């Protein structure tokens, strides 16, 4: 006999890549008797109804959270504070309230301000994603073998933290707990700065005179293509990330600029030894990422290649 689902009702506020993936995975894993969703626009709500992944789609955030024992905000970071304020008076006592925001310090501050004591606030960030967004972009396997970082404020009920840890583990994620500030510093270098660099490079290439647009596209496989994938990420989400994780990003950007200056100097001086030493060190980091199973060792990220005499699949 199957065990009873750990939650009676899960409410998802926001149904894009992350909300949609949680819904699909929670359904496959039977984690709730009922999953209810809502989104900002009537268009997205209509699409979520059509998809038939959740048990009910409701019009308002307040309606969604009524009687829910797990509420997850899957919305842009900048919207979390106002939505927490909106739902605060409608939460069931004892409900776990969480989010999936890519920044934790600002979100925790903005949400905690409004949430009632009777709710258990356990912020979360699944470190998993793609450059796609919207209700059709989610998939049940998104979180498998990816990290989900929980940043519960001091004094949070340990049972609520364990329950959310179990939820994310059931979605396939590996769960780690840290403080919001530490999270923001780590993610500034592993995620936020790489996105900023990608946005910069793709923007620079776009503005280059002397290199025509068509050449940039035509020869994009030489490294540029991988930056364009990252730079295609949702503009609202990333605007909010840089507005809310300003201090940590600026700190990392300072270090990055110093390192870039060192490499610039090495190139200017023709210092091959410095360049080789640097590139050998970074190559080892890539190997380490593959060794711990966070990426594929397949060449070119596993992209299919055409073979002579055969078409690429
Ligand atoms: P998304 O695909 O753009 O979806 C965002 C959803 O939020 C949409 O359903 C949108 O509704 C809804 N929404 C926006 N404002 C709202 C509001 N005030 N009230 C209710 N719903 C609202 O975004 P996503 O990629 O899933 O990202 C959601 C969150 O996950 C962000 O905080 C992001 O930092 C975090 N995250 C993203 C990734 C990633 O790679 N994408 C990875 C980890 C964490 P409409 O469609 O109606 O506008």
């Amino acid at each position: 006999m199957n065990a009873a689902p750990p939650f009676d009702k899960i409410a998802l506020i926001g149904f894009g890549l992350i909300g949609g993936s949680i819904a699909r995975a929670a359904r496959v894993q039977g984690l709730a008797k009922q999953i209810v969703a809502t989104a900002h626009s009537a268009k997205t709500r209509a699409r979520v109804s059509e998809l038939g992944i959740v048990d009910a789609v409701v019009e308002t955030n307040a309606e969604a959270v009524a009687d829910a024992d797990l509420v997850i905000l899957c919305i842009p970071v900048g919207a979390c504070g106002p939505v927490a304020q909106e739902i605060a008076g409608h939460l069931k006592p004892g409900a776990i309230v969480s989010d999936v925001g890519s920044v934790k310090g600002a979100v925790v501050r903005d949400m905690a301000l409004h949430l009632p004591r009777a709710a258990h606030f356990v912020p979360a960030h699944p470190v998993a994603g793609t450059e796609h967004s919207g209700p059709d972009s989610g998939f049940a396997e998104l979180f498998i073998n990816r990290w989900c970082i929980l940043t519960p404020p001091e004094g949070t009920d340990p049972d609520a933290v364990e329950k959310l840890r179990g939820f994310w583990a059931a979605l396939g994620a590996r769960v780690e707990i840290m403080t919001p500030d530490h999270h923001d510093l780590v993610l500034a270098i592993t995620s936020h700065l790489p996105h900023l660099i990608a946005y910069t490079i793709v923007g620079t290439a776009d503005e280059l005179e002397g290199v025509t647009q068509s050449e940039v596209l035509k020869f994009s496989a030489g490294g540029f293509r991988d930056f364009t994938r990252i730079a295609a990420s949702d503009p609202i989400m990333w605007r909010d990330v840089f507005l809310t994780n300003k201090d940590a990003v600026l700190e990392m950007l300072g270090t990055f600029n110093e390192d870039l200056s060192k490499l610039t100097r090495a190139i200017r001086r023709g210092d091959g030894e410095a360049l080789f030493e640097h590139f050998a060190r970074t190559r080892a980091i890539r190997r380490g990422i593959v060794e711990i199973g966070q990426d594929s060792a397949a060449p070119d990220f596993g992209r299919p290649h055409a073979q002579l005499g055969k078409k690429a699949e």
Side-chain angles (χ1 to χ4, degrees), residues 105-129:
V107 172
V108 171
R109 271 191 304 276
D110 291 354
M111 287 182 67
L113 198 65
H114 302 293
L115 295 176
R117 280 179 180 275
H120 304 295
F121 181 31
V122 189
H125 174 206
V127 187

Side-chain angles (χ1 to χ4, degrees), residues 30-41:
L31 299 183
K33 286 186 190 153
Q34 194 193 14
I35 302 177
V36 173
T38 188
H40 202 42
S41 65

Side-chain angles (χ1 to χ4, degrees), residues 260-307:
L260 187 62
S261 299
K262 279 185 213 155
L263 285 178
T264 310
R265 206 163 41 242
I267 293 170
R268 190 177 297 119
R269 291 180 180 168
D271 186 348
E273 205 179 317
L275 293 174
F276 180 83
E277 187 276 325
H278 189 95
F279 301 158
R281 193 154 50 87
T282 56
R283 184 177 227 191
I285 291 172
R286 168 73 195 162
R287 275 198 211 109
I289 288 172
V290 171
E291 268 163 31
I292 61 169
Q294 289 295 301
D295 207 349
S296 155
D300 201 16
F301 301 98
R303 287 186 181 105
H305 285 266
Q307 290 173 356

Side-chain angles (χ1 to χ4, degrees), residues 15-18 40-41 44 74-77 100-102 126 128-130 133-134 237:
F15 203 95
L17 172 69
I18 302 296
H40 202 42
S41 65
T44 299
C74 309
I75 59 179
V77 165
V100 294
S102 306
T130 73
S133 45
M237 169 184 160

Side-chain angles (χ1 to χ4, degrees), residues 70-73 96-100 111 120-124 164 168:
L70 173 61
V71 174
I72 310 180
L73 273 55
I96 297 174
V97 180
S98 190
D99 74 308
V100 294
M111 287 182 67
H120 304 295
F121 181 31
V122 189
L164 197 67
W168 279 104

Side-chain angles (χ1 to χ4, degrees), residues 29-72:
Q29 295 293 76
L31 299 183
K33 286 186 190 153
Q34 194 193 14
I35 302 177
V36 173
T38 188
H40 202 42
S41 65
K43 187 175 166 221
T44 299
R45 293 195 297 271
R47 180 61 190 145
V48 179
S49 293
E50 266 171 31
L51 287 169
I53 300 160
V54 297
D55 300 290
V57 179
V58 295
E59 298 221 344
T60 66
N61 297 334
E63 244 180 294
V65 305
D67 292 325
D69 37 14
L70 173 61
V71 174
I72 310 180

